[in-house]
Amino acid sequence: MRFTTPVIGPVAGAAVLLIAAAAAGLAGCSSTSSSSAAGGSSSSAASGSALTVADVAPFSGPDAALGPTYLASCYGATSAINSAGGVLGHQLNCKSVDTRGDPADAVPAVNQMFASTPSLALVIGCTSDEAASVAPIINSHKMAMFCMTGQSEFDSVHFPYFYRLVPPDLEESYAMVAIAQQLGYKRIALAFGNDIGSQTFIQPAIASLAKAGMVLTTNQTLDLKATTFRTEAEAIIQSHPDAIMTEALGAADPTLFSEIKQLNNGKMIPIIGTSAAISPPFFKSAAAAVGATTFTSNFHADNLVVESNGPAFQAFSSALLAQQGKVPGATGNFTTYLSAPGGVHLYDGINLAALAMIMSKSTSPSVYGVDIIKIGDGVPGATVCYSFAGCAASLKAGKSIRYEGPGGPTNFDSFHDSTGIFQVDTYSPSGQVNVVGNLSAAELRALSG
């Protein structure tokens, strides 16, 4: 087993920082001024000036595939918004902020972002790798953020400027165990990366496996900087699992799959992945490691339910696919971004924020933030709309609206969390994502610790 102990430190320390920063944020969240917040941009900015959506995520390091996934969503959403006239006379653009997937690098990167981006209007990304360290900073600047983190710290500490459209990691752990149940697996090995985001799945998964009456055969931690996992592969094979539950981004999982196949007489052990595995770079590298047919015949992943037809999906797919070949760092089958959690839910987040700016007549998050939930959850009699263009037209006509994007309707709680139900995804040998089942809320509750 390879385990890098510094992974634990930032999480524990961040919990204290979260609480302190939340208190500070609450003290300042009652402002209703339309003037620019720190790092923000006011509605009085010159007409035609650009507003920036910052993608705070890894663009280098083991989790480097996350940043381009979110950037594809940003390009698609902002392009559609700009084509529909922009926001209050402003066009929107996207900016990459590389956290390298490490809190030590993320904090100065985010501080530099605020110092160098006076037109900043929204932050997206902030993954589990760095969210616990940077969310307090972003919140202290009174900047709205849609984060792609499932860390439990955010389940119960209120940040006025934090929004989340993805589930807590513990729910995703339950979802993986539910998939194993559906497939009839009894013996499960765990193989998770030593990054903060991957490590948060382990304890909920262990508890859920026990509740399901399954056998945990081995628990292997993968050092994402390593180039071989032969020791871990041998331990997994010798434990005789029916399947492996895993999240280890970058080259780690594909390398592990390859070595398992080599050491297991050319046979793969079935894989159950997290939603992070639904991305073009992951498919491309995993298929190259063991062969596309071998990989796809042995792979399932959980994912949040995504609308795959109807007006919301049509608007989303048109906006996103128009960016093919334009997004720096985006590789593999571009259509996979239509199912990737970051592609779907950050597109919705950007639309919610842009529509809230129009509704509040301000681009300052301290003003427009409260309208994000009003637009997402709607009010009685609200007009349901499915794209920025359609929703903006209804707002300008004086109507109340409820935005429903490809991620489905929202239902925000007091911590600004809104999460849906899960689906089960597989890949075709060409890299197309297929939905093969659903997981009910009752199934997940039955597996919760």
Side-chain angles (χ1 to χ4, degrees):
M1 179 182 293
R2 301 170 190 232
F3 185 75
T4 306
T5 53
V7 169
I8 298 176
V11 178
V16 176
L17 185 56
L18 283 166
I19 296 170
L26 285 167
C29 72
S30 61
S31 171
T32 57
S33 169
S34 62
S35 62
S36 173
S41 175
S42 75
S43 58
S44 61
S47 179
S49 61
L51 301 176
T52 298
V53 178
D55 177 4
V56 175
F59 285 84
S60 59
D63 294 348
L66 297 176
T69 299
Y70 307 160
L71 196 62
S73 180
C74 188
Y75 273 38
T78 57
S79 178
I81 290 168
N82 293 340
S83 295
V87 175
L88 302 176
H90 304 282
Q91 297 281 284
L92 275 65
N93 60 32
C94 303
K95 176 177 183 174
S96 303
V97 179
D98 186 8
T99 67
R100 303 181 183 179
D102 187 330
D105 294 312
V107 168
V110 166
N111 285 330
Q112 176 60 26
M113 172 190 73
F114 280 109
S116 62
T117 319
S119 61
L120 187 62
L122 177 67
V123 169
I124 62 168
C126 36
T127 74
S128 294
D129 286 340
E130 67 279 319
S133 297
V134 303
I137 298 171
I138 298 168
N139 191 75
S140 71
H141 281 268
K142 299 182 180 179
M143 178 54 57
M145 59 187 126
F146 278 88
C147 291
M148 295 295 295
T149 176
Q151 287 172 286
S152 60
E153 290 97 322
F154 297 98
D155 300 347
S156 57
V157 177
H158 179 58
F159 284 83
Y161 296 92
F162 175 91
Y163 300 86
R164 181 167 62 173
L165 299 175
V166 292
D169 288 340
L170 58 85
E171 287 189 12
E172 200 164 357
S173 296
Y174 306 154
M176 286 191 286
V177 175
I179 293 172
Q181 279 188 322
Q182 289 188 355
L183 296 172
Y185 299 143
K186 304 294 185 183
R187 297 173 57 83
I188 306 296
L190 302 185
F192 285 85
N194 65 347
D195 58 306
I196 295 172
S198 298
Q199 285 287 300
T200 59
F201 291 101
I202 295 175
Q203 290 307 316
I206 291 173
S208 186
L209 287 170
K211 192 159 188 179
M214 297 181 184
V215 175
L216 172 62
T217 65
T218 186
N219 178 14
Q220 298 294 316
T221 298
L222 308 181
D223 182 349
L224 299 188
K225 295 181 180 179
T227 57
T228 180
F229 301 102
R230 188 180 182 88
T231 299
E232 292 83 355
E234 288 177 337
I236 290 170
I237 293 167
Q238 292 302 315
S239 74
H240 303 293
D242 298 327
I244 303 165
M245 288 171 47
T246 186
E247 179 183 283
L249 301 183
D253 257 342
T255 300
L256 176 69
F257 301 162
S258 176
E259 292 177 335
I260 286 175
K261 183 181 177 183
Q262 293 170 17
L263 296 170
N264 198 37
N265 299 316
K267 297 180 180 179
M268 269 298 295
I269 298 171
I271 300 296
I272 300 174
T274 69
S275 57
I278 305 302
S279 76
F282 182 86
F283 172 82
K284 183 178 180 180
S285 57
V290 298
T293 301
T294 299
F295 172 64
T296 56
S297 62
N298 290 279
F299 177 81
H300 291 78
D302 69 79
N303 198 2
L304 277 179
V305 168
V306 176
E307 295 184 3
S308 57
N309 52 52
F313 180 77
Q314 290 169 8
F316 168 58
S317 59
S318 177
L320 198 68
L321 294 179
Q323 305 309 309
Q324 187 165 358
K326 302 177 183 178
V327 182
T331 62
N333 187 335
F334 200 83
T335 63
T336 305
Y337 290 125
L338 297 175
S339 301
V344 175
H345 301 295
L346 293 180
Y347 168 89
D348 281 345
I350 294 168
N351 279 339
L352 284 167
L355 291 168
M357 294 178 200
I358 294 175
M359 183 174 176
S360 67
K361 298 181 173 59
S362 174
T363 59
S364 174
S366 62
V367 180
Y368 77 71
V370 295
D371 289 327
I372 288 175
I373 295 175
K374 292 178 184 177
I375 288 172
D377 292 356
V379 297
T383 299
V384 179
C385 49
Y386 304 97
S387 67
F388 173 83
C391 293
S394 293
L395 281 176
K396 292 172 184 177
K399 298 178 181 178
S400 60
I401 64 169
R402 175 167 186 165
Y403 169 78
E404 183 174 323
T410 63
N411 184 23
F412 286 103
D413 64 16
S414 61
F415 300 103
H416 295 175
D417 283 339
S418 175
T419 60
I421 59 175
F422 287 94
Q423 65 188 31
V424 184
D425 288 353
T426 62
Y427 284 110
S428 71
S430 66
Q432 186 74 33
V433 177
N434 299 315
V435 180
V436 297
N438 289 288
L439 303 171
S440 69
E443 286 178 282
L444 300 188
R445 282 196 298 270
L447 294 169
S448 64

